Amino acid sequence: MSTSKIIKAPYIQAQAASIFIAAGSTPQEADTVASNLVMANLSGHDSHGVGMLPRYIDAILEGGLKPNTAVKVTLDGGALIALDGQQGFGQVVGEQTMALGIERAKSLGSCILALGRAHHLGRIGHFAEMAVAQGLVSIHFVNVLSRPVVAPWGGGDGRFGTNPCCIGVPIKGQPPFLLDFATSRVAQGKMRVAHNEGRQVPPGYLIDPQGHPTTDPGVVVVPQKSGEGAGLFGALLPFGEHKGSGLAVACELLGGALTGGGTWHQPASTTRSVFNGMLSILIDPARLGTQNAFEHEAMAFVDWVRQSPDAAGTEHMQLAGDPERAARKLREREGFELDEATWQEIVAAGRKVGVSL
Ligand code: NAD
């Protein structure tokens, strides 16, 4: 079991930004990326937090991730926009994409955005939060081009990524519904965190390179060293059996094929960059003519669901978005844990670009 330290958000955000600046980002870009990663930690998703920094630095040094790159509109059809992320930071090109889509949805009532070739977009909920804050419904299908780390239901090896799906719905007078999840049983980054912490994971998450169930998160983090399957990775399983697997394939078809960003159909690559394609659908309820009914019905339904009594053995019933809001409150106040292995990886990444922490 490795040790961990408690980190305060402003401290790690400043350190991360200094590393991104040394790697070539403008101070503004460095701040956008660092604050996005720290917000993932604060939201309870350490898988998409500052632990991603070493991978981003490697990706810059390899040339796959291009700092200071803006999104390029390749087709502007009004409420239908295609965009090329041009291998820029997903945190940056993703925000630029959403800003354009929000403006269009507000003026036209809806907007479909097809973004390809963005470097890792991080926590997809961030983009839904941008739209929901403007009163819009925000739906996202995302594919991941990096390593086929998730097995299709019934399959014995990885064929696609953790392909996240996200739905944000504003609820009048209440915090928004914000469903944001990987279609794998768990996010790949959570296996990295568990591996770094020396933890086993519950059964049902993983298979080894031979397709056998395992609880060792290392099978999807490091190539297996010996025996049958040496040099290969195992795979994550999809959530919800054939249903999650089907949703993952839909994310690949919509986020990868339809956006033009590309799908995964090749053996694993060893490069450190990871690309996302994202199909986003924004709807302005105020322009749909159902605003009053929507506000009333959404509020009434959410209240109704929240009145469900706690099931035996559970802490309390929550709606999507609640856990992240609760984590933010706690972690902003008390800081969050960063395991020693992850911290050392960040220190080493800093060293690669001449920053000593
Ligand atoms: P998760 O399994 O914690 O699920 C998160 C979702 O479930 C959230 O909407 C949360 O509010 C809701 N939730 C959690 N516990 C709940 C409960 N008890 N009751 C009701 N709702 C609950 O998260 P995950 O699948 O590990 O995904 C984590 C993050 O990883 C997401 O932000 C996702 O966008 C991101 N991700 C990104 C990529 C990428 O390539 N960019 C790939 C995969 C995942």
Side-chain angles (χ1 to χ4, degrees):
M1 202 41 107
S2 78
T3 54
S4 63
K5 53 172 103 253
I6 300 291
I7 295 270
K8 290 284 192 156
Y11 168 76
I12 193 69
Q13 188 171 321
Q15 301 297 336
S18 71
I19 296 174
F20 288 127
I21 290 170
S25 287
T26 60
Q28 193 190 353
E29 174 168 280
D31 194 50
T32 300
V33 179
S35 68
N36 180 293
L37 294 178
V38 170
M39 181 51 89
N41 287 112
L42 290 174
S43 306
H45 294 293
D46 295 328
S47 55
H48 288 71
V50 290
M52 288 302 294
L53 180 147
R55 186 155 187 187
Y56 290 0
I57 298 301
D58 286 347
I60 292 173
L61 296 175
E62 282 175 5
L65 165 56
K66 301 188 188 308
N68 310 318
T69 302
V71 81
K72 185 172 142 202
V73 174
T74 55
L75 178 141
D76 189 340
L80 198 58
I81 306 175
L83 307 104
D84 182 349
Q86 305 196 100
Q87 301 176 228
F89 269 110
Q91 289 79 359
V92 173
V93 297
E95 283 192 2
Q96 291 168 343
T97 299
M98 288 303 293
L100 183 56
I102 289 167
E103 177 226 302
R104 289 299 167 84
K106 289 229 154 222
S107 67
L108 300 172
S110 66
C111 185
I112 295 177
L113 300 147
L115 169 66
R117 297 201 325 130
H119 195 262
H120 192 238
L121 288 160
R123 200 177 62 86
I124 305 306
H126 176 72
F127 305 111
E129 282 164 1
M130 284 177 72
V132 160
Q134 301 293 318
L136 304 175
V137 169
S138 198
I139 303 166
H140 309 263
F141 299 95
V142 179
N143 84 325
V144 188
L145 300 176
S146 138
R147 188 155 58 78
V149 75
V150 183
W153 182 243
D157 67 357
R159 291 283 146 166
F160 40 75
T162 53
N163 295 3
C165 181
C166 176
I167 301 173
V169 181
I171 312 287
K172 193 172 180 209
Q174 294 193 31
F177 172 82
L178 228 132
L179 182 62
D180 171 29
F181 59 87
T183 46
S184 50
R185 180 76 179 76
V186 279
Q188 153 79 3
K190 289 193 172 131
M191 298 299 94
R192 170 177 48 77
V193 173
H195 176 69
N196 281 348
E197 292 177 358
R199 280 191 284 118
Q200 295 287 298
V201 300
Y205 286 12
L206 297 162
I207 52 175
D208 69 15
Q210 291 77 44
H212 300 133
T214 175
T215 56
D216 172 12
V219 298
V220 289
V221 180
V222 286
Q224 298 307 284
K225 285 201 185 78
S226 56
E228 201 192 336
L232 296 176
F233 289 94
L236 293 162
L237 293 173
F239 87 92
E241 304 175 343
H242 54 290
K243 302 176 190 181
S245 188
L247 188 54
V249 172
C251 284
E252 196 75 26
L253 295 174
L254 299 176
L258 190 60
T259 61
T263 61
W264 191 275
H265 43 78
Q266 62 198 48
S269 100
T270 53
T271 60
R272 297 279 283 160
S273 41
V274 37
F275 295 101
N276 285 140
M278 175 164 76
L279 183 80
S280 303
I281 303 166
L282 308 187
I283 303 167
D284 186 353
R287 303 295 301 270
L288 196 59
T290 60
Q291 175 85 347
N292 290 343
F294 168 63
E295 283 179 357
H296 177 265
E297 287 300 315
M299 231 174 5
F301 177 69
V302 162
D303 281 345
W304 159 257
V305 175
R306 285 201 189 279
Q307 284 166 31
S308 179
D310 293 340
T314 57
E315 265 177 36
H316 61 284
M317 208 287 303
Q318 300 186 83
L319 283 176
D322 290 346
E324 287 74 16
R325 287 186 283 268
R328 277 176 210 166
K329 240 189 213 166
L330 183 73
R331 289 179 166 209
E332 270 163 8
R333 199 176 58 234
E334 297 183 2
F336 53 86
E337 265 184 51
L338 200 63
D339 66 87
E340 189 55 29
T342 303
W343 171 249
Q344 289 308 330
E345 284 172 13
I346 294 170
V347 170
R351 226 178 278 125
K352 287 181 191 171
V353 292
V355 174
S356 62
L357 298 187

